[in-house]
């Protein structure tokens, strides 16, 4: 307070003037301060960064991929032609066999007894034939001597013909029994690889029951299952590429060879066989394969894929943010199937357009943004 002691020494009139002047100065300073704060300050607009992607024509072609298995062009299911008990199996799963190799054998004892019985019947019929032939010659001489009637001779001629028929019948039964004895051995009719076994030694099997499958040497192809809504697209495809899980650096061209006429009753999908064009020897039966459909009639399929993070959902409608001159606009799209991180877009996007792939939930219509990134989709 000492700096202000001089005020107490002033006359009252001068003190009044001093106080009035101080009040005026304070009011002027307050007015200036109020005017300074009353003027609006310029607002700095916050322009957010967003990650974008370009729907470009130079993007890799999109398509469908189907998993499958390497199979043989020709597969034969082998079975015995007679009923019996399997006593020997000479092959293992995956064994390579040649035409004429014995694969399995069933117990031939009953069949051998049938052959022995048929053989005895043949000997009996031949003996009856010899007797009938001797009688016929004898009675023919008696007939020439007019010792017997024509009716008696006809009886012996008929007996001779019956004996001949009995021999033929017994011989046929013997041949049939011999064939069945031979059927106790299961032969490989073609060279190939054993792909499946469904019977073991000691098992009783019936005639026609499949006991193994052999894949013939030669062409290789891939079997895939295709849903019914993709059959026509696959039928019209002009280019297929096949890759293999065990051979990551190998891709082989393929072509549709066969489409099943009916869907599988369980999976409701159609079996499709894809022929491999010039397959390398490294491709083995049973390998896991992926068939990629990359074009229909020389054109890429009518859809592209975008990241799931680019989808902005309003109620049940999927949308994306389109960036035009650094301004975003919301557009409705039609989507297809989903992947792990991607989704198919069937319509609503054009080549060359830029979409926002991150930060879509922080944007509003007509907002200015700054793009960050620009990967092609």
């Amino acid at each position: 307070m000492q700096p202000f002691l001089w005020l107490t020494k002033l006359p009252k009139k001068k003190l009044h003037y001093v106080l009035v002047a101080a009040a005026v100065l304070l009011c002027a300073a307050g007015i200036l301060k109020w005017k300074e704060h009353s003027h609006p300050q310029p607002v700095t607009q916050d322009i957010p960064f967003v990650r974008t992607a370009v729907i470009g024509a130079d993007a890799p072609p999109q398509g469908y991929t189907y998993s499958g298995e390497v199979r043989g062009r020709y597969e034969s299911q082998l079975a015995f032609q007679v009923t019996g008990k399997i006593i020997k199996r000479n092959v293992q799963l995956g064994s390579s066999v040649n035409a004429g190799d014995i694969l399995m054998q069933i117990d031939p004892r009953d069949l051998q007894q049938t052959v022995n019985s048929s053989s005895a019947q043949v000997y009996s019929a031949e003996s009856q034939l010899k007797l009938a032939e001797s009688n016929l010659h004898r009675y023919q001489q008696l007939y020439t001597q007019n010792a017997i009637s024509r009716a008696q001779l006809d009886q012996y001629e008929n007996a001779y013909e019956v004996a001949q028929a009995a021999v033929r019948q017994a011989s046929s039964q013997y041949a049939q029994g011999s064939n069945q004895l031979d059927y106790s051995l299961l032969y490989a009719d073609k060279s190939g690889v054993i792909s499946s076994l469904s019977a073991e030694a000691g098992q009783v099997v019936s005639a026609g029951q499949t006991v193994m499958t052999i894949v013939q040497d030669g062409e290789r192809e891939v079997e895939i299952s295709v849903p019914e809504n993709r059959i026509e697209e696959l039928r019209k495809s002009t280019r297929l590429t096949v890759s293999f899980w065990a051979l990551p650096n190998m891709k082989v061209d393929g072509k549709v060879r066969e489409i099943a006429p009916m869907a599988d009753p369980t999976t409701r999908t159609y079996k499709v066989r894809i022929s491999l064009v010039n397959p390398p020897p490294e491709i083995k039966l049973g390998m896991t394969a992926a068939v990629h459909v990359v074009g229909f009639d020389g054109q890429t399929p009518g859809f592209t894929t975008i990241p799931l993070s680019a989808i902005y959902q309003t109620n049940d409608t999927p949308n994306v943010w389109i960036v035009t001159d650094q301004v975003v606009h919301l557009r409705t799209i039609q989507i297809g199937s989903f992947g792990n991180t991607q989704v198919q877009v069937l319509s609503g996007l054009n080549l060359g357009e830029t979409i926002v792939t991150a930060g879509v939930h922080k944007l509003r219509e007509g907002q200015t943004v700054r793009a960050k990134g620009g990967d092609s989709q």
Side-chain angles (χ1 to χ4, degrees):
M1 295 296 293
Q2 291 182 358
F4 297 98
L5 292 177
W6 60 276
L7 293 175
T8 58
K9 298 179 181 181
L10 291 176
K12 291 184 179 180
K13 189 175 182 178
K14 289 184 179 181
L15 179 60
H16 175 72
Y17 289 130
V18 170
L19 294 176
V20 170
V24 171
L25 290 176
L26 290 175
C27 290
I31 292 173
L32 291 176
K33 192 68 176 179
W34 174 80
K35 288 184 177 181
E36 180 181 353
H37 287 284
S38 63
H39 289 293
Q41 297 295 325
V43 179
T44 303
Q45 184 178 7
D46 183 18
I47 302 178
F49 278 103
V50 293
R51 186 174 296 277
T52 61
V54 178
I55 309 300
D58 57 343
Q62 303 296 329
Y64 299 102
T65 300
Y66 303 97
S67 60
E69 180 185 1
V70 178
R71 307 288 290 270
R73 171 68 173 84
Y74 300 100
E75 298 181 0
S76 302
Q77 294 182 341
L78 305 183
F80 286 102
Q81 294 181 252
V82 293
T83 300
K85 178 181 179 180
I86 299 176
I87 61 173
K88 186 182 294 185
R89 177 166 64 84
N90 300 326
V91 293
Q92 304 294 332
L93 190 64
S95 299
S96 297
V97 297
N98 298 316
D101 290 349
I102 299 176
L103 308 177
M104 279 188 180
Q105 181 182 1
I106 63 176
D107 191 350
R109 289 178 295 179
D110 291 341
L111 300 174
Q112 184 64 57
Q113 293 300 324
T114 301
V115 172
N116 294 339
S117 176
S118 299
S119 177
Q121 291 178 1
V122 170
Y123 288 127
S124 175
E126 289 176 347
S127 298
Q128 293 295 328
L129 178 60
K130 290 179 181 179
L131 177 60
E133 184 178 9
S134 299
N135 290 335
L136 177 60
H137 289 316
R138 186 179 303 113
Y139 279 90
Q140 283 177 342
Q141 293 175 359
L142 293 174
Y143 178 74
T144 58
Q145 298 172 3
N146 294 323
I148 61 173
S149 65
R150 180 63 192 178
Q152 289 178 311
L153 179 61
D154 290 343
Q155 291 179 356
Y156 285 98
E157 287 180 347
N158 181 67
Y160 175 73
E161 292 175 356
V162 170
Q164 284 183 319
V167 170
R168 289 196 297 269
Q169 180 181 10
S171 299
S172 297
Q173 291 178 348
Y174 174 76
Q176 182 181 10
S178 299
N179 290 338
Q180 289 183 340
L181 181 61
D182 189 54
Y183 293 155
S184 64
L185 299 175
L186 183 62
Y187 295 92
D189 53 352
K190 300 289 184 180
S191 298
V193 178
I194 304 299
S195 63
S196 69
L197 292 170
S198 54
E200 293 292 340
Q203 181 177 345
V204 177
V205 295
S206 59
Q209 178 182 341
T210 300
V211 295
M212 67 176 61
T213 302
I214 181 172
V215 179
Q216 299 181 20
D217 292 337
E219 299 181 37
R220 294 290 181 261
E221 55 190 25
V222 176
E223 183 179 82
I224 60 177
S225 297
V226 180
E228 58 187 59
N229 62 327
R230 302 297 183 197
I231 287 295
E232 288 303 318
E233 295 176 353
L234 185 65
R235 197 189 306 273
K236 296 177 182 178
S237 64
T238 57
R239 184 186 173 194
L240 302 175
T241 58
V242 184
S243 57
F244 305 91
W245 182 70
L247 305 171
N249 298 324
M250 180 179 297
K251 289 188 177 181
V252 180
D253 291 333
K255 60 181 180 180
V256 178
R257 183 187 66 82
E258 178 184 82
I259 299 177
M262 295 184 63
D264 184 272
T266 303
T267 63
R268 305 307 304 167
T269 57
Y270 288 80
K271 297 291 185 182
V272 178
R273 288 294 185 106
I274 307 297
S275 296
L276 300 179
V277 180
N278 299 322
E282 292 83 0
I283 298 177
K284 304 299 182 183
L285 292 171
M287 279 187 171
T288 301
V291 178
H292 188 55
V293 183
V294 295
F296 305 141
D297 295 334
Q299 303 294 327
T300 56
F303 65 86
T304 186
T305 58
I306 62 174
L308 285 171
S309 58
I311 301 297
Y312 181 77
Q313 193 87 4
T314 57
N315 297 326
D316 295 332
T317 305
N319 306 276
V320 294
W321 290 104
I322 304 295
V323 181
T324 304
D325 296 332
Q326 296 185 345
V327 177
V328 293
H329 302 281
L330 195 63
R331 181 185 297 174
T332 301
I333 60 173
Q334 181 183 0
I335 60 177
S337 60
F338 288 83
N340 293 331
T341 60
Q342 301 284 318
V343 61
Q344 295 176 357
V345 178
L346 304 180
S347 63
L349 292 179
N350 300 316
L351 296 179
E353 290 185 321
T354 302
I355 63 172
V356 178
T357 60
V360 296
H361 297 286
K362 299 180 180 180
L363 302 178
R364 63 180 183 274
E365 179 67 27
Q367 184 177 4
T368 301
V369 296
R370 285 182 287 180
K372 183 179 182 180
D375 299 333
S376 296
Q377 293 295 321

